[in-house]
Amino acid sequence: MAVGNRKRMKLINATLLAGVALHTLAMGINAPALAQDTSARIDSLQPNIPADEKLLLSANELVYNRDAETVTVRGNVQIEYGGYKMVARQVVYDQKSGRIMATGEIQLIEPDGNIVYADKMDVTDDFGNGFVQALRIETTDLTRLAAESGERRNGEEFILNKAVYTACTPCNIKPEHRSLWHIKAERVIQNGRTHTIRLENAHFELFGKPIAYIPVMEIPDHTVKRKSGFLFPKFRYAQKLGAGVGVPYYWAISPYMDATLTATGLTRQGFLLEGEFRQSFHNGLHTLNVAGISQLDKDQFTPGTVDAEETNRGMVASKGEFEINPRWTFGWNVLVQSDANFAKTYDLESFDGTTYVNQAYLTGLGKRNYFDLRAFYFDIQDADPNSIEENQQPAAQVLDYSYTAPQSVLGGELNADVNLTNIKRNRLDNINVLGVERFRGLEGTSHRLTAELEWKRTFIAPGGLVLTPLLAARGDALGLSMDDPGPDYTGNYIDSDAATRRMLTAGLEARYPILFAGENSSHVLEPIGQIYARPDEQHAGGLPNEDAQSFVFDATNLFDRDKFSGFDRIEGGTRANLGIRYTGNFDNGYGLRAIAGQSFHLGGLNSFATDDLVKVGADSGLETKSSDYVAMFGIDAPSGLMASLSGRLDESDFDLRRADATVGYLGLTWQAALTYTRIEAQPIYGSPSDQDEIQTAAAFRFHDYWSVFGALTYDINNDVISRNGFGITYDDQDTLFSIVYQQERDTDSSVANDWSIGARISFRTLGDIDVGDTTFEELDYY
């Protein structure tokens, strides 16, 4: 039957109210005590249903008893109203007492997908008071709540007796699964006025055994988005610090500002206080971090270190991220410490790295242009009180701008790039390896403005030959106020306050893709030839080199016009690059890819053979007229198997100069990877001996939720396992348990090995317990 008068449907409305209240309680249990929006309150538990909403009622029988003044619907009762769906065996409405009684396998599906089950429901028609027996609630976030009975009092309290709460994600696909943990409470009280949930006489059970007793605990319900309160404790252990327990407190200062304050007691060093203050604005967020400690026993640290010399230690850090408009953003992150090693020693999250990059930036991104302005300062965390490494790092300001013309120019694409770099260094940064001096940075200040234009156009000739002519022009203006590297530098350093240089390039690339198609595969073989005519690099090796110090010649940069990695060096002279590229695809899912080739210096000064402050081109494979051979081959299989091999071979005797070989497998139950790396000695470049290393990593899932994993790095030349680790983990998406052992050896010293054990246990919707570090970086590469 269809019923349209909502005001007369007290039976249906009260039944739906019961479901809403039960859902409210279940969602409230899901909030872990922390911190959620006090402004997001609800004024009542009434379903939000329009007054003209139509109702559909279906039942085998409807009986109206005029004498008893009751309305009874029974037999496969189904009600659909305002997005709610209810099923029961029988529903009775007593007009005299104003009570509704539903019985028999009651099931209520709410509009948001939550499901409420009950055996019996006896409530007043306004749901101000009532009783529910044998109820269960399943929420859309896959949490479950069950109780022997529930009672509604005074229109604002809902009380569950002998309740059990758990999260059970696997139950969605495996109903027989049982979660490893539960919370059982004698009483759970949800207060609609205070928006709180109170647990009385509760136990936390793991593997069916109670491990924690909670006499009384009160937490906000799901309507509260931010609320002050204590968070889950944090645990830690470190040799010099001792065991520690941190108690975080969340403070909801305002709708736009909050803070987390943490006091950590360390058995050997006392109390570490930390604070994180966050303030949101209409266009961004600012975060302020502070931390400090007065060390109780600084003698625990190695004598002569910063840690052993300081008593009162602390830090302040600020980070901002703001959006000016959809295209422009700016921000900063800055760290200031009382000494050079505080944040690293106390393992402060986000600040515990060896190098912390302080920076401020302004970035703009358009459809065809890009702008980025940044200022850098590098904070080196070092326990040596006499360390000068931080003063050897540059303070730098860098501007990058890139623009691509929206319309074609002479039928081709025109790009413009601008880079402005200012660098100041307080101390000379140099290193001597086997009598070879490398100057990684000079003391003083330098400025460089670089502007470059590049035009290229692609033509397809008859027969499929692809020709791409290229023209490029670049200019640099430099201001130099840096100390001369001195007599140890064998190159020709420019001792001048200013310098300019330019580079004009005319290039042509020719490609001839050849397609071979079979019944079950297709193959593309593409010979490639390039020639670039340029004058010599001006002031080669005579100018500071800050951003082009890292250089590896391999198949990935064989066809680059300028193979240097930064702006401070320019590749000059006439050069040709020849090679072949192959791609194969098979119907069975296999794929092949390969590149091989060689580069030739045809005329002028070879930039890779010139002396450089950091010897960047030395032993690179490009310092001779005919370069070393470079090649790369890879295969991908649909089974999850992959393999790749890349290398550089000497151009005269084919000796292996560099090689990287990887074999990996990624499957459902196990995954593994093995990588071999060989780098021949480059004494002039600062690498005095051959480097041969094998890295292995594997993980095996031996049960539905259990996995073991391990990794090992073997230094072949020193015949030592430099890094290794293994661990075991359980993860059913609701409970995560992991324990990891890691060890790292110092091959240059006979000191004791460094090792660590980390453990983590996490309960979905409740919180995490972490002891030590459980990250396992060796597994990242597969």
Side-chain angles (χ1 to χ4, degrees), residues 1 397 472 476 638 711:
M1 67 181 70
Q397 300 82 44
D476 297 88

Side-chain angles (χ1 to χ4, degrees), residues 144-459:
R144 297 187 174 198
L145 178 68
E148 288 188 1
S149 62
E151 185 178 0
R152 176 75 170 167
R153 292 180 181 177
N154 305 321
E156 64 180 26
E157 284 189 344
F158 195 82
I159 302 171
L160 294 182
N161 299 306
K162 294 185 177 181
V164 180
Y165 168 78
T166 190
C168 192
T169 302
C171 296
N172 193 39
I173 56 177
K174 298 177 66 174
E176 71 279 5
H177 179 81
R178 294 295 178 265
S179 180
L180 296 186
W181 61 270
H182 303 82
I183 295 179
K184 292 184 177 180
E186 286 294 321
R187 290 212 316 170
V188 179
I189 304 171
Q190 190 264 341
N191 191 306
R193 178 177 54 84
T194 62
H195 300 275
T196 59
I197 294 176
R198 179 184 175 90
L199 283 76
E200 297 179 353
N201 196 22
H203 292 81
F204 179 80
E205 295 188 358
L206 185 63
F207 297 106
K209 303 296 182 181
I211 63 170
Y213 173 65
I214 308 171
V216 177
M217 181 172 69
E218 189 169 271
I219 60 177
D221 67 19
H222 78 292
T223 65
V224 180
K225 303 304 179 185
R226 297 169 68 249
K227 185 177 179 65
S228 300
F230 287 98
L231 308 184
F232 208 82
K234 298 181 178 181
F235 302 89
R236 60 188 299 184
Y237 178 81
Q239 180 184 3
K240 307 297 176 64
L241 310 181
V245 179
V247 180
Y249 181 82
Y250 177 82
W251 182 19
I253 303 172
S254 74
Y256 311 105
M257 184 185 300
D258 58 17
T260 303
L261 308 175
T262 305
T264 302
L266 299 165
T267 56
R268 294 181 178 174
Q269 298 302 335
F271 282 96
L272 172 68
L273 299 179
E274 299 174 76
E276 181 174 281
F277 301 87
R278 298 165 293 269
Q279 183 172 8
S280 62
F281 300 86
H282 71 281
N283 64 337
L285 174 70
H286 174 243
T287 304
L288 178 69
N289 292 84
V290 296
I293 191 172
S294 181
Q295 298 184 147
L296 290 182
D297 189 4
K298 59 184 182 181
D299 293 336
Q300 289 286 337
F301 298 101
T302 304
T305 63
V306 170
D307 303 301
E309 294 181 354
E310 300 292 335
T311 299
N312 299 314
R313 311 178 70 182
M315 59 145 280
V316 178
S318 173
K319 181 178 181 180
E321 297 177 300
F322 294 90
E323 185 178 84
I324 301 174
N325 58 41
R327 293 188 176 184
W328 287 90
T329 60
F330 77 96
W332 68 86
N333 50 274
V334 179
L335 170 66
V336 178
Q337 302 188 81
S338 59
D339 58 78
N341 208 42
F342 169 65
K344 184 178 180 181
T345 298
Y346 284 87
D347 197 24
L348 302 181
E349 187 176 357
S350 301
F351 307 101
D352 56 353
T354 301
T355 302
Y356 184 83
V357 181
N358 298 272
Q359 63 176 319
Y361 61 89
L362 173 66
T363 300
L365 181 63
K367 292 182 179 180
R368 302 182 69 86
N369 58 348
Y370 171 75
F371 176 95
D372 186 80
L373 174 64
R374 291 177 185 265
F376 296 95
Y377 179 79
F378 301 95
D379 191 351
I380 305 299
Q381 303 208 66
D382 193 335
D384 182 1
N386 300 315
S387 174
I388 62 172
E389 187 174 355
E390 184 168 319
N391 285 326
Q392 292 177 327
Q393 303 300 311
Q397 300 82 44
V398 180
L399 166 67
D400 283 295
Y401 179 75
S402 179
Y403 175 79
T404 300
Q407 305 295 331
S408 63
V409 177
L410 300 176
E413 182 180 78
L414 181 66
N415 296 288
D417 292 287
V418 176
N419 176 266
L420 174 63
T421 299
N422 176 68
I423 288 178
K424 177 177 175 56
R425 182 180 279 102
N426 293 326
R427 282 182 177 269
L428 174 68
D429 182 9
N430 64 321
I431 185 172
N432 187 293
V433 180
L434 298 179
V436 178
E437 199 78 18
R438 299 177 69 237
F439 298 86
R440 296 179 295 192
L442 302 178
E443 182 177 346
T445 303
S446 68
H447 319 275
R448 177 183 43 75
L449 174 63
T450 298
E452 183 174 40
L453 284 174
E454 181 188 76
W455 174 89
K456 60 183 177 181
R457 180 179 179 180
T458 298
F459 299 89

Side-chain angles (χ1 to χ4, degrees), residues 579-613:
I580 190 167
R581 183 159 50 202
Y582 164 77
T583 304
N585 293 288
F586 297 83
D587 292 346
N588 57 8
Y590 281 85
L592 302 175
R593 61 192 186 278
I595 297 176
Q598 189 177 18
S599 183
F600 302 90
H601 182 75
L602 303 181
L605 178 67
N606 187 345
S607 296
F608 301 102
T610 59
D611 199 2
D612 180 272
L613 286 166

Side-chain angles (χ1 to χ4, degrees), residues 7-23:
K7 294 182 180 180
R8 298 180 182 178
M9 293 305 300
K10 290 185 176 181
L11 180 153
I12 304 305
N13 195 34
T15 305
L16 296 178
L17 281 167
V20 173
L22 294 175
H23 164 56

